[in-house]
Amino acid sequence: MARPRSEDPTGSAGSGAPGSGSADGAAAGGSGTGTAGAGGSIPAPRAGGRAEARRAAQGKGGRGGPGGDGGANGSGHRKAGGRGKKPERSIKKIVGWTAVGALVLIAGTGGAIYLKLSGNIKTIDSDGLSKDRPPESAADANGNKPVNILLIGSDSRGAGNSDLGGGDAEGARSDTTILLHVYADHKNAIGVSIPRNTLVTIPPCKLPNGKWTKEQKGKDILFNSAFAQGDAAEGNAACTQNTVEKLTGIRVDHTLVVDFSGFAAMTKAVGGVEVCLPKVIYEGDINPNLQKRGAQVLPAGRQKVEGQKALDYVRLRHGIGDGSDIGRMKRQQAFMSSMISTVKKKGLEPTTLLPLADAATKSLRVDEGLNSVDKLMSFALSLKNIDLHDLKFVTPPWRFSDANLDLVKPDVDRLWEAIKADRTLDGKDATGEQPDAPAAPAAPAATPEAPPTTTAPPARAAAAPIRVAVYNGTTVNGLGAKAGEALKAAQFTVTGVNQAKSTNKLTTTVEYGAGQKANAEKVAALFPGATLTSTTAAGISVVLGKDYADANGGAGTAAPGTPAGPAAPAPLPSSVTEEARSADDDICANTSYGSGG
């Protein structure tokens, strides 16, 4: 059974550098003759320094040397000695977020390259998904709902990836996994990085031979080993998805697997990405096996990187902070924030998008729900209204368990519950509040437009019945029934009283379709402080908020068929909110972890 790699001997807890990660090893880059998509050539290895160490480690007598990666041994970990392999690379840790940028960029490409891009896309088989999965998120009347995307960065050795740092070992592992939650309003998103060496329970998973594994749990079962189940060259994305769903209780709607062969080309296609480092980085930091400082690779401060230097930045672990993967994840989040910002500033220009989309799709494997350019484009366009400030990156609350990580309960459970409830980090309820969709199902029929009015009329019905649907947007039982009775007393026609999808509404909202503004104003007069919102749906709906509950004693008798809503999730712990990064944060902030710069 495949197991995770052993910790890098130069960065394990035993050597005084807490955290995990593989040996950074030799320099990135292949022979310089390969290409990665239309965006440009894969950079050749830099002369001297790391390349020299690589040649020494691969001497004529065979490969070896300190820090090498051997094959998987009987305990499920890689041997630290014996027949060494090329030191493992970590540039792949960023490719998961490259997929997010790629999706947005694909949306700007024209039909002329439709077939070209379609030919690049590979599909993940869904047969290996668990039969015991969390429920799907409910959609509102217009079909708007949250979307959860699992982004997996694979270190597969196939398709030329070994030249960029994949190494020689068989199979593949997930060195980066990010659960991206796009809120139902499609104006907010949060990416939760799941550390590769997190201790987890891996549920039964389907192997390439068709057999299913037994559940695995214990002190040596690490998260990234789920992707390695079966030792297939392309990895086991379904097993990783099953593990994430069991860990979080959140249903994954789409899964994308990205290798890193196109990474250098993508960074060149956008003209480089601005990054920042608190100190100078030398070749010996990139490759500790050099046993010397070597030449300067990256200066301190702000700088633009692409190609080889971009790879150097995103794989960097030593020589900064405490050398753990936590700091590296912070820098990778900063890199992706900067890359997405760069693309937004350039706009959807074909000259930028064509090489980038070509390189990105060549490195993508997607689930059946995204396996065409049409599907990718539709999904990409649904993300275009997310502002940089409203795209957040977080790591779940964790603590060290020897060289590995435990997720801290109940803090981590509060994070998962907030995501399931569609609550943003600052507590905002983002469920179903798109500008072109109501937060609750609309009334079944529209009525002719009433004459315009500039002031709220008395609370009485118009000559023609005004039909109103009532939704309780709080957890107070019977509040909808109370509002319904008030509407009936004022001669409005109540078409139904139901629980709203979200129970976290603070302010009562009166939503109205085309031609219903004047009637909506009449309805709103019964609810002091209510806000008016236009929607594309027909009719008028009242979504009751906490303000109405407070004004009516906070409790009531439940109307028949009106269930009590679920309690709002507990506030998120400071370990999540204080460490979160917004995509528009200063790129020089929060780029290392622990002592050491």
Side-chain angles (χ1 to χ4, degrees):
M1 188 65 64
R3 299 290 189 188
R5 297 182 181 141
S6 62
E7 299 305 320
D8 179 357
T10 62
S12 67
S15 64
S20 66
S22 309
D24 287 304
S31 64
T33 61
T35 61
S41 299
I42 295 174
R46 187 183 290 105
R50 294 167 292 148
E52 177 184 338
R54 184 173 186 171
R55 288 192 295 271
Q58 299 176 355
K60 296 180 180 179
R63 297 173 192 162
D69 264 340
N73 62 20
S75 66
H77 294 275
R78 298 201 178 265
K79 299 176 182 178
R83 183 181 180 273
K85 300 291 183 182
K86 293 179 186 177
E88 181 187 16
R89 312 303 301 250
S90 54
I91 56 174
K92 59 271 186 180
K93 286 180 175 285
I94 194 61
V95 297
W97 269 108
T98 301
V100 179
L103 286 176
V104 177
L105 297 168
I106 289 169
T109 61
I113 62 168
Y114 180 94
L115 293 178
K116 178 178 178 62
L117 296 182
S118 289
N120 292 345
I121 300 170
K122 302 175 183 65
T123 303
I124 299 169
D125 190 351
S126 62
D127 287 348
L129 294 182
S130 173
K131 302 300 184 288
D132 181 20
R133 303 181 61 191
E136 292 186 31
S137 300
D140 63 20
N142 282 358
N144 300 309
K145 67 177 184 177
V147 183
N148 299 303
I149 307 101
L150 186 64
L151 307 171
I152 303 173
S154 167
D155 71 351
S156 170
R157 272 68 174 152
N161 287 310
S162 59
D163 289 338
L164 280 175
D168 293 328
E170 297 299 323
R173 282 151 187 81
S174 57
D175 279 342
T176 290
T177 304
I178 297 174
L179 180 61
L180 175 67
H181 177 79
V182 179
Y183 293 85
D185 64 2
H186 283 213
K187 291 184 177 181
N188 294 268
I190 181 172
V192 183
S193 299
I194 303 177
R196 62 184 292 276
N197 61 328
T198 301
L199 295 169
V200 298
T201 295
I202 298 179
C205 291
K206 186 178 181 180
L207 301 178
N209 63 9
K211 296 182 179 180
W212 287 74
T213 65
K214 295 181 179 179
E215 181 177 274
Q216 303 170 58
K217 56 183 176 181
K219 294 184 178 180
D220 63 341
I221 304 301
L222 304 186
F223 175 71
N224 74 331
S225 66
F227 196 70
Q229 298 298 306
D231 286 326
E234 68 275 10
N236 195 330
C239 188
T240 297
Q241 180 173 329
N242 293 343
T243 303
V244 169
E245 290 187 339
K246 183 174 183 64
L247 177 69
T248 65
I250 297 170
R251 188 183 182 97
V252 173
D253 300 299
H254 297 296
T255 295
L256 296 89
V257 179
V258 193
D259 62 33
F260 49 90
S261 62
F263 178 77
M266 283 187 271
T267 61
K268 286 188 174 184
V270 299
V273 177
E274 188 177 20
V275 299
C276 187
L277 285 166
K279 60 188 299 186
V280 175
I281 299 301
Y282 298 93
E283 286 189 319
D285 300 322
I286 301 294
N287 176 20
N289 293 327
L290 283 179
Q291 310 265 321
K292 61 181 180 181
R293 187 172 80 168
Q296 176 179 303
V297 177
L298 297 166
R302 293 176 179 267
Q303 58 203 282
K304 183 172 285 190
V305 296
E306 64 177 50
Q308 178 70 61
K309 287 194 173 183
L311 303 180
D312 290 338
Y313 179 88
V314 298
R315 79 165 186 267
L316 175 65
R317 180 156 65 87
H318 299 287
I320 184 170
D322 64 2
S324 73
D325 274 355
I326 298 300
R328 178 159 53 186
M329 289 168 63
K330 290 177 179 292
R331 289 185 291 279
Q332 290 163 359
Q333 292 175 352
F335 184 93
M336 282 313 304
S337 297
S338 183
M339 185 171 181
I340 294 170
S341 175
T342 298
V343 173
K344 274 184 169 284
K345 289 176 182 176
K346 285 180 175 290
L348 299 179
E349 296 295 335
T351 54
T352 296
L353 295 178
L354 175 56
L356 185 54
D358 188 34
T361 53
K362 281 181 177 178
S363 63
L364 277 179
R365 289 174 55 233
V366 300
D367 68 278
E368 294 164 358
L370 293 176
N371 64 351
S372 71
V373 173
D374 282 341
K375 293 175 182 177
L376 282 169
M377 185 177 297
S378 176
F379 178 66
L381 288 172
S382 74
L383 308 180
K384 63 184 175 64
N385 291 325
I386 299 176
D387 186 79
L388 288 174
H389 183 71
D390 297 320
L391 170 58
K392 309 291 185 182
F393 299 83
V394 301
T395 301
W398 60 273
R399 60 171 168 247
F400 285 116
S401 177
D402 295 326
N404 299 316
L405 302 180
D406 266 327
L407 299 187
V408 178
K409 291 179 175 288
D411 290 1
V412 69
D413 292 328
R414 288 159 65 183
L415 173 60
W416 306 141
E417 290 302 319
I419 290 175
K420 285 188 282 187
D422 225 30
R423 293 281 290 266
T424 61
L425 292 183
D426 58 2
K428 174 185 175 183
D429 173 18
T431 296
E433 294 182 357
Q434 291 182 319
D436 59 346
T447 57
E449 183 174 4
T453 179
T454 56
T455 59
R460 55 184 174 83
I466 298 177
R467 298 162 61 87
V468 183
V470 179
Y471 298 92
N472 185 359
T474 76
T475 58
V476 178
N477 288 350
L479 198 65
K482 183 183 289 290
E485 291 302 320
L487 285 162
K488 291 176 184 178
Q491 303 303 305
F492 293 101
T493 298
V494 177
T495 61
V497 177
N498 294 285
Q499 191 70 34
K501 180 181 175 182
S502 169
T503 59
N504 302 318
K505 296 288 291 185
L506 297 178
T507 303
T508 298
T509 303
V510 178
E511 299 170 349
Y512 61 92
Q516 291 292 311
K517 182 176 181 181
N519 287 341
E521 288 175 342
K522 296 173 184 178
V523 173
L526 281 183
F527 303 93
T531 59
L532 286 166
T533 303
S534 63
T535 75
T536 57
I540 299 173
S541 299
V542 175
V543 185
L544 302 171
K546 183 176 181 297
D547 57 344
Y548 186 75
D550 291 342
N552 287 271
T557 302
T562 306
L572 288 170
S574 59
S575 57
V576 173
T577 57
E578 292 179 3
E579 294 298 319
R581 168 180 285 277
S582 296
D584 63 347
D585 283 356
D586 184 352
I587 60 171
C588 292
N590 203 20
T591 58
S592 66
Y593 179 80
S595 61

